[in-house]
Amino acid sequence: MHPAERVLLGPGPSPVPQRVLRALAAPTLGHLDPQYLTIMDEVCELLRQVFRTRNALTFPVSGTGMAGMECAAVNLVEPGDEVIVGVNGVFGTRMKDVMERCGAVVHALEAPWGETFTNEQVAAAFAAHPKARLLGIVHAETSTGAHQPLEGLAAIARSHGALLLVDAVTSLGGHELRVDDWEIDAIYSGTQKCLSCPPGLSPVSFGPRALARMDARKTKVQSWYLDVSMLRKYYSGGGGGRVYHHTAPINMTYALHEALTIVLEEGLEARIARHAAMHQRLRRGLEALGLRYVPSRSLHTLNCIRIPDGADDAGVRRRLLEEYGIEIGAGLGPMAGKAWRIGLMGHGATVRNVDLVLAALGNCLNRPAASA
Ligand SMILES: *Cc1c(COP(=O)(O)O)cnc(C)c1O
């Protein structure tokens, strides 16, 4: 149980700062201890700042990013509801699957992997399915590296009485994201990507229209663990009215508190600018090595590149790990064997890591790295 440290430049988890690891080691408290409740209330407030929202119902769901996806789906969808889901990669495909498991009738809005959706395509999907009650879309499609623009989508959804649900697992803390300004009704993320906290919590936020949808449900939420009508009595109970639902992951809450504090110490704008600059530096270096990006509109936080002809996919990744201690991601789904994914998330998005991975990759490909 003494794992060697790695340079985590894959699709997550990202490198975790010592400050966050030390926070995990603080004394475990009871989940109704006033000391703990103060820490947890602060986490919810810090999350509001990072999400740029005033939504009262903003809290960390117990579980990784997928728990946030399931939480949003089970609470916002009732059996028989029609929904539109953008499917252009693994996570859109999963969102469709999760919605179908909730009994939704899913109209998949499809785009080739690596592409994104235009507002016109979304409007056309609503014109074809005017009864759709929700639009689910992935902001940062980690499987392809595609960056989906969100502005304008809420207006389209609202004109049809539908909610806008966003997967922000690989964008929160790394990309521009404005929940209130962009009128996003429900959103979920994860701790282990651009927040640079270990995996284990999934920050979520629900706006007033999402709450009204939940309050108007005719059926019970099918998941007991993720039922927001019960969870909110704990997370926003306040005034001594907190009700036990499940034991909160106490020490993970400390870690998230520290990780969010670090995000806000750096400043959201500065952090987003750092991710942009590190992406540009990596892109220049990769292109100098003759490598090409998969998506036309790339994320800053996840760089998905085509594996060059003749290169040994698994062999290169193994050498990066064994000789340099660097983890990068393999291609997923139809991209398996065709793409590599280099994550520059949170604490991992540094000049040192960018230049290190460029030099190491250049060596593994027998191509000298050009200086960035
Ligand atoms: C990583 C990821 C998830 C799932 O998060 P887990 O922490 O692996 O459960 C969901 N959506 C996107 C876009 C992701 O990148």
Side-chain angles (χ1 to χ4, degrees), residues 259-308:
L260 294 169
T261 301
I262 291 171
V263 169
L264 294 170
E265 277 173 8
E266 179 175 12
L268 270 180
E269 295 298 344
R271 191 177 178 91
I272 291 162
R274 173 167 59 84
H275 281 85
M278 291 308 107
H279 162 72
Q280 292 305 336
R281 187 180 184 95
L282 181 70
R283 178 186 278 265
R284 281 195 301 276
L286 291 172
E287 288 176 350
L289 285 172
L291 297 165
R292 295 285 162 262
Y293 273 69
V294 170
S296 27
R297 184 192 283 277
S298 177
L299 291 166
H300 299 156
T301 50
L302 195 284
N303 298 266
C304 185
I305 51 175
R306 289 186 197 289
I307 298 175

Side-chain angles (χ1 to χ4, degrees), residues 11 14 30 47-48 54 57 74 112 118 121 146 153 159 175 177 209 211 223 229 258 285 288 299 324 336 357 364:
S14 65
L47 281 177
R48 279 181 206 104
R54 298 216 303 271
L57 194 58
V74 292
T118 63
Q121 287 170 316
L153 293 182
S159 69
H175 265 280
L177 176 62
R209 297 171 77 247
L211 286 182
S223 164
S229 70
E258 191 67 5
L299 291 166
Y324 299 90
V357 73
C364 293

Side-chain angles (χ1 to χ4, degrees), residues 11 64-66 69 91 94 138 140-142 167 169-170 188 192-193:
T64 64
M66 286 308 301
M69 187 191 291
F91 293 101
R94 282 192 182 181
V138 179
E141 182 43 89
T142 318
D167 176 322
V169 177
T170 299
Y188 58 88
Q192 50 139 325
K193 310 235 174 153

Side-chain angles (χ1 to χ4, degrees), residues 226-246:
L226 297 172
D227 184 342
V228 167
S229 70
M230 294 193 283
L231 291 174
R232 65 201 280 197
K233 290 183 190 147
Y234 176 73
Y235 287 100
S236 45
R242 303 213 184 240
V243 179
Y244 165 66
H245 177 260
H246 68 275

